[in-house]
Amino acid sequence: MLTDAVVRTSTGRVVGQRHAHHDFIDKVKGTMLYAADHQPPGMLHGRVIRSTVPSARIVSIDLGAARDLPGVAAILVADDVPHNSLIVRASGGLGELAIEMPILASDRVRYTGEPIALVAAETQQIADHAAELVVITYDELTGVFDPLGAMEAESPLVHDEGNVLVNWHIARGDAQLGFARADVVVEGEYVTQLVEHAYLEPETGVAWIEDDVVTIRASTQVIEHAVEIARILGLPSNKVRVVAAYMGGGFGGKEDMTVEPFLALLAWSTRRPVRMIWDRQESLAASTKRHPMVMRYKTGATSDGRLTAQQVEIIGDAGAYPYLSARIVFAAAVVACGPYQIADVDVRSLAVFTNNVPTSAFRGFGAMQVTFAYESQMDRLAEALHLDPAELRRRNFLSKGDVIPTGETLQTVVAVGETLDRALARLGELPVPSAPHKVVGRGFACNMQPYGRTIWFRDQASAWLTLQADGSLLIRSGVTDLGAGQAASLCQIASEVLGVPLAMVSVYIGDTALTPPAGGTFATRQLYMSGNATLAAATDLRGRLDPVAAQLLGCAATDLDYVDGRVLAIGGGSLGPELGLSLAELVSECARRGVDTSILTVWHADVGTFDPVLGQGDTFPDYTYGTHATDVEVDTDTGEVKVLRYIAVHDVGRAINPMRVEGQIQGGAMQGIGYALTEEIVLDQGVNNSTLFTNYLIPNASDYPDIEAEVVESGEGRGPFGARGIGEPPIGPSAPALANAITNAIGARPTRLPMTPERVLGLIDTTRGKSWNHK
Amino acid sequence: MREINLVINGSDVQATVADRLLLSDFIRDDQRLTGTHVGCEHGYCGSCTVLLDGASVRSCLTLAVQTDGHVIETVESLAVGADLHPIQEAFRSNHGLQCGFCTPGLLMTTLELARENRDCSRDEIRERLAGNLCRCTGYHQIVDAVQAVLRTGLSR
């Protein structure tokens, strides 16, 4: 029988413990070599020359003065790129347009910041100077900067193939019938903004030629781009190697290629090492962003608070090129109804081209924006039904075994109700306002976020474990580490199974030449994928070790315990010494018997198919659920929102490292708070007006209070030891929790992000019968 | 070009530098002390924070020539061999970092605060750290780490 009861799991010896990451030593000493820190002798400095207009034909590119500048080693334009075309089919070709993206624009530019030329020079100053000397003449074209406008028949075309990249439809039941059954219907339109990842380490890397192989050591989430880079260079795949440095943050922004093809082209052409660092202005101006979305929701419920129907239309701004937009608006569609059981659902989700900077992956991956919409709708519905908003949600939460709008049955426990109860219990009493012109309010929001890649991609990851002669362990994995402990998790998992002390475990990651493929760090997939691969490899290795150890100790293989570098017979073996065997002794005996203690294991995720016409099929392996709850105080004179308390609770199935899980929750929630209240890339006709941290405002330490993180361990998840992914989930609930709290405080609902003082003051004014335009 | 004489992490350094050379580039590229990170180049994020005569400065807003006759401390001055400085150990054991890119700047800001030798509330700590952006942690565990080191002090 399927049940949502939370099963408590015991704490492991290593898994479940609060170990510091192995990489923290180098990180606190300042000896970690990030991508920009590796400086080979003879290194050149690269720079991208970018479009200064959003839509134009390129009339001419004059490189003369730049080429004459002493110290310039190379200037490359489109004609110098062997294969100047990239076609990203993010959904695997399920109905999106196939659009070519040039590596360097040749005759046409489609957004401000589009790469046109590359320069490499002896110093960064010379490279920057040369970039300024390149004269590009444009014939400007009318651009389109609003996805709604881009869908009009008379809109200029960003690409000849059309402005709508993809138009997904997910439908289940009959929404019209569902609305006919409803006693109450609420409608709302929600608008979210363009935002930036703002990892502290900008896009950067170094490339060099070694044994005629182009080697790129970069800050990247995906080393597998090596194949695309080889194609761009016109080389066989074995001639390009990508090494991932430990990243200074990624958040999805280093999932697509950034500096890699440019570095490869410059190094290949000069045959010298080249470093490229996008400065902060360049990163804010030209790197991919989160999709702004317009989301129109219509939700119906019976008078006793049962949801009957939901109709959703999502329009996402893809910017000028596809990148991963097709898959992102797909994810938005899949979870558009949130963690609620609704029989009759109709969801449309579009990605539309504009002449804005391209949008792509960013923690939350489409599932974040819709949380703002569906959780605002739930509060609106509660108000219309005169129901407590928590009670309304409890009556509609999904359960294990329920069917979601894609037609899939949920396979694991849904503990969202426990996250809600814990979050509200922890808040206690609502505080009183600190001044007469201030008001307080409480809000909360629940969410569901996929973990693991869309399953029609037949995902797999591998891990290579070697138990060495002295009993130490090597783990090799193609995983890349964004800083969230992707590599450290693998160490804890292997240590748990094999009993190798953490200090005797080393992990080597992220190298297309030397580590087995793990498939990139994105989609909250690495604990699920590489964690399972490592667990499978460790278990396979135990399968080789156990018979040898059992024979030596005189016990059944099932009575073996691997702990602290030793193998023991539980209850004592008939032959072996009291203290069992050291792992070194066991490896030595394995060697004598020809038992190999090195093992490569490939772990395969579920596979499935999706029918884009029916809007039904297999989508994600599983979901992570949570609730954030917050108390705010709003200054009715200024519209300023002060966050008084902030609680974030997620069911992670099983915490491999509780300290790391809390860190993910706290950091994700804080990034979500920035999204809710201050962050916005302001574009004016495609020109970015937010290219400094002085006007793109990410949270600092004094802006907000502690994030009080709480971890629910339901014991059920599809990762190792029942873990669920937690990388992306905590970013989702912040904006709707704060929107609901602000609404509770001021009596008017924000529907546009970010909820700046100006906008909140405008809403307060509407409640006072005043109205003026706060844009 | 100018000649400068300064002390970096306890060692006398003599160098000839371009007038326009930033202290951050001087430290990272000329001195090869890459523990100091550059995150924004406009004095906002604090990743490049070093101590100049004991006071925190943005090395991306400081010219190398301005340090002539002065004392610079970078993150590399903290650990002695394998022995972590108490501030480093507090950040490590309290999970006061994730990607670690902002960490050296935060450690130097914390060192300046810790030398004042007084306990601080979490709110006071947050005020003092407000010039060092972190995008990973949400600051909670960083404040835990700083609070821990202010309580135990800097003696090894």
Side-chain angles (χ1 to χ4, degrees), chain A residues 18-21 23-25 27-34 36-40 45 125 196-202 246-249 251 275 277-281 284 362-363 482-484 657-664 666-668 670-671 674 679 691-694 696-709, chain B residues 20-22 25 28-30 32-47 74-85 87-104 106-107 122-144 147:
Chain A
R18 307 171 76 88
H19 292 289
H21 302 186
D23 48 296
F24 280 5
I25 299 282
K27 285 175 175 177
V28 298
K29 288 176 83 174
T31 47
M32 174 64 78
L33 282 182
Y34 292 90
D37 298 340
H38 181 59
Q39 300 177 16
H45 300 261
Q125 284 74 22
E196 161 69 21
H197 312 79
Y199 19 72
L200 267 293
E201 176 203 44
Y246 277 82
M247 267 168 277
F251 312 115
R275 179 171 76 175
I277 303 171
W278 292 0
D279 61 37
R280 184 57 58 181
Q281 287 197 37
L284 277 159
F362 189 162
R363 189 182 205 169
L482 291 83
N657 183 330
M659 193 159 64
R660 185 157 62 234
V661 171
E662 287 159 15
Q664 283 303 300
Q666 289 156 351
M670 186 61 78
Q671 220 170 23
E679 293 180 32
T691 62
L692 297 170
F693 275 154
T694 51
Y696 186 79
L697 301 175
I698 69 173
N700 74 31
S702 66
D703 287 338
Y704 303 107
D706 285 342
I707 305 295
E708 301 171 54
Chain B
R20 61 177 283 177
L21 184 69
L22 294 171
D25 290 340
R28 284 179 51 78
D29 294 345
D30 295 12
R32 294 292 170 107
L33 295 169
T34 55
T36 299
H37 300 146
V38 178
C40 75
E41 316 95 17
H42 59 283
Y44 199 87
C45 77
S47 293
T74 73
V75 67
E76 287 89 350
S77 69
L78 297 177
V80 179
D83 289 339
L84 295 183
H85 186 277
I87 293 175
Q88 292 172 315
E89 180 51 37
F91 271 70
R92 190 191 77 89
S93 59
N94 285 282
H95 202 255
L97 65 148
Q98 288 181 29
C99 82
F101 196 81
C102 69
T103 306
L106 272 157
L107 296 177
R122 287 181 79 85
D123 282 348
E124 285 174 283
I125 291 169
R126 285 179 172 279
E127 278 301 321
R128 288 295 292 264
L129 301 183
N132 290 79
L133 295 180
C134 168
R135 191 59 157 169
C136 296
T137 63
Y139 302 105
H140 189 124
Q141 291 168 328
I142 292 174
V143 178
D144 290 348
Q147 205 165 24

Side-chain angles (χ1 to χ4, degrees), chain A residues 91 94 166 168 170 325-335 349 365 406 454 456 610 618-620:
Chain A
S91 77
L94 286 183
V166 72
W168 297 104
I170 288 177
S325 289
R327 206 148 86 232
I328 290 160
V329 298
F330 179 78
V334 170
V335 292
S349 188
F365 205 76
T406 53
T454 329
W456 63 72
F610 184 81
D618 306 310
T619 58
F620 297 100

Side-chain angles (χ1 to χ4, degrees), chain A residues 26-239:
Chain A
D26 272 331
K27 285 175 175 177
V28 298
K29 288 176 83 174
T31 47
M32 174 64 78
L33 282 182
Y34 292 90
D37 298 340
H38 181 59
Q39 300 177 16
M43 184 178 83
L44 295 166
H45 300 261
R47 175 110 207 156
V48 183
I49 296 158
R50 299 173 179 277
S51 169
T52 54
V53 297
S55 180
R57 297 211 169 280
I58 296 174
V59 177
S60 63
I61 304 172
D62 180 358
L63 303 176
R67 280 215 164 111
D68 291 344
L69 191 68
V72 170
I75 300 186
L76 306 180
V77 294
D79 283 348
D80 301 311
V81 184
H83 186 76
N84 190 25
S85 163
L86 193 66
I87 299 180
V88 177
R89 304 205 72 181
S91 77
L94 286 183
E96 84 251 46
L97 298 177
I99 302 291
E100 277 195 39
M101 182 172 79
I103 308 308
L104 296 175
S106 56
D107 57 341
R108 173 89 164 89
V109 289
R110 296 181 171 86
Y111 70 97
T112 307
E114 183 163 355
I116 296 173
L118 305 172
V119 59
E122 298 294 338
T123 68
Q124 192 65 55
Q125 284 74 22
I126 296 170
D128 295 351
H129 187 194
E132 286 166 12
L133 294 177
V134 172
V135 180
I136 301 167
T137 311
Y138 301 100
D139 177 13
E140 287 202 54
L141 302 170
T142 305
V144 56
F145 306 102
D146 161 35
L148 300 179
M151 292 165 65
E152 305 279 340
E154 65 273 18
S155 167
L157 285 176
V158 181
H159 295 279
D160 293 344
E161 294 87 341
N163 283 348
V164 176
L165 168 65
V166 72
N167 181 346
W168 297 104
H169 187 218
I170 288 177
R172 184 159 183 84
D174 184 329
Q176 293 321 309
L177 279 179
F179 285 117
R181 286 193 291 119
D183 298 311
V184 172
V185 174
V186 295
E187 294 188 59
E189 180 175 296
Y190 306 90
V191 180
T192 65
Q193 77 282 31
L194 191 70
V195 292
E196 161 69 21
H197 312 79
Y199 19 72
L200 267 293
E201 176 203 44
E203 298 79 358
T204 183
V206 178
W208 63 94
I209 313 294
E210 189 173 316
D211 289 339
D212 214 34
V213 170
V214 185
T215 303
I216 305 149
R217 186 177 183 275
S219 182
T220 177
Q221 295 174 230
V222 181
I223 56 175
E224 288 77 4
H225 288 309
V227 175
E228 289 155 273
I229 297 163
R231 197 178 306 133
I232 291 162
L233 293 183
L235 294 174
S237 296
N238 67 315
K239 292 293 180 187

Side-chain angles (χ1 to χ4, degrees), chain A residues 462-466 468 474-479 490 506-510 514-516 534 598 600:
Chain A
S462 37
W464 175 14
L465 268 51
T466 303
Q468 305 193 106
L474 294 185
I475 304 173
R476 298 176 181 89
S477 159
V479 72
L490 306 185
S506 286
V507 59
Y508 294 86
I509 60 169
L514 301 177
T515 58
T534 301
S598 185
L600 174 69

